[in-house]
Structure formats: C-alpha cells, structure tokens
Amino acid sequence: MTSAPFNPIELPPLQGDETFTGVDATVNDFWRFAMSDLRVNTVRGYVAEFLISRALGLTGVADSMTECDLRWNGISINVKSSGYLQAWSQRSLSRIQFSGLYRRAWSVEDGSLGEVPDFHTDVYVFAVQTATEPDKYDQLDANQWDFYVLSQAAVRAHGWGSLSLRKLESLGAARLKLSDLPTAIREAANVGDRQPSRWTRQALQGEGFEGFIPFEAP
C-alpha cells in the first residue's frame, strides 16, 4: 500500500473564541451560522454521536475520517441516527431507516476505498430523535432520544446494508436511554464471536466462506 503524498497534520480542538484572519468573526460565529439548527440531518448525526460519547465518558472530538464513529475501551462503534421530524415541511412523519451499514472500507492511509464491502465496527448504535410534534421538538433535550444497540454479528447475520426501526426490534434490539448504553455496548461487543442467527451470503462470506465444493459421484 502506497501512502498518500498529502497528509493532514493533527490540530488542537477549537474552543470557539478564535478569530478569523481577514474578517471580523470568531469560530463561534461560524458555528452559529452553520450549525445553529440541530434538526438538520447532517448536524443531527453529530448530536447523536455527541450524546453517546458523553454517556460513555468520552471527551474527544468527532472524527469523520475513520471507519468507526467512536472508540471506547477498545470497542469500535458506528452511530446511525434518524428522526420523525425534519428541518423542512412534511406531509407525514419520516420513516425511521438506517443505511450505510454494509459498505467498502475507506483507508485513512492512502484515501482509497476497499474492493469488498463489509461490516466494519464491533457495535452499532442506532439513535432515534422521537419528537413527533414540531412545537415539542426540543433540540437540546437528550431525553427525546431513544437508542438501540446491536452487535456486528447480529447486523452481519441480517446481511442488509440498511435496517428499519421495526426490523431492529425484530432482531432483538431493545429501546434504551443514554444511561443504558455503556452496559448494552459492552454486552454487544462480547457477542462478536457467536455464530450469526441467520446465514445469509454476506454472513457466510464474513466467516471466510468462498464457495461450495461438489462431491464426486460414487
């Protein structure tokens, strides 16, 4: 593998009071401009990661350049978020769906995509913003979130790249609150070496299956 010729240097986390050069504005001004509405899908995903990280006692910053969203006690975690309400007008509530579970790995070292899609983290945490009435959506209330946890083995056994909320529940994922997550994530990480409950093609390939060998006729 050849390393990429241009590699970013590590920067200290911004505090918010830093000032731009050439314009009268601070980083806080930029954050207020770009991320003041926490209902926006791209921002809401970071809100989910932030809440989960705090529940796990993590204090670092988000890293979108790695395959896992969070790493806790050696456990790699992928966070998926969804909600019934959006930052735009709706004719009906959104269907809760989580995608991007089965994908090609992205290499930090050389900026390339892997050739074979797979499931890349030990544990998956699915976060749902539960408000269903626009005037009651409190973007700063962590109690308006539900969480569901599945091991990689459970997601792999299902074999699909996306899951609905109903399918999550049928796979045994219980509705949790923030305080439940440390125990649930730890337990899910410990079932990684159990056999999948459903042997799909993806699940078989994940266990090293390459193909059937025909028996010779007697």
Side-chain angles (χ1 to χ4, degrees), residues 82-86 88-96 129-134 137:
S82 188
Y84 297 100
L85 295 175
Q86 309 301 329
W88 56 82
S89 298
Q90 299 170 246
R91 292 184 179 273
S92 61
L93 297 177
S94 295
R95 180 173 180 264
I96 303 300
Q129 214 293 341
T130 61
T132 56
E133 299 178 46
Y137 190 133

Side-chain angles (χ1 to χ4, degrees), residues 178-205:
L178 273 177
S179 59
D180 302 318
L181 288 180
T183 298
I185 290 172
R186 190 179 298 111
E187 290 177 350
N190 289 334
V191 302
D193 56 355
R194 295 181 188 173
Q195 291 185 343
S197 58
R198 178 183 173 194
W199 288 108
T200 62
R201 182 179 181 85
Q202 289 90 343
L204 287 167
Q205 290 174 335

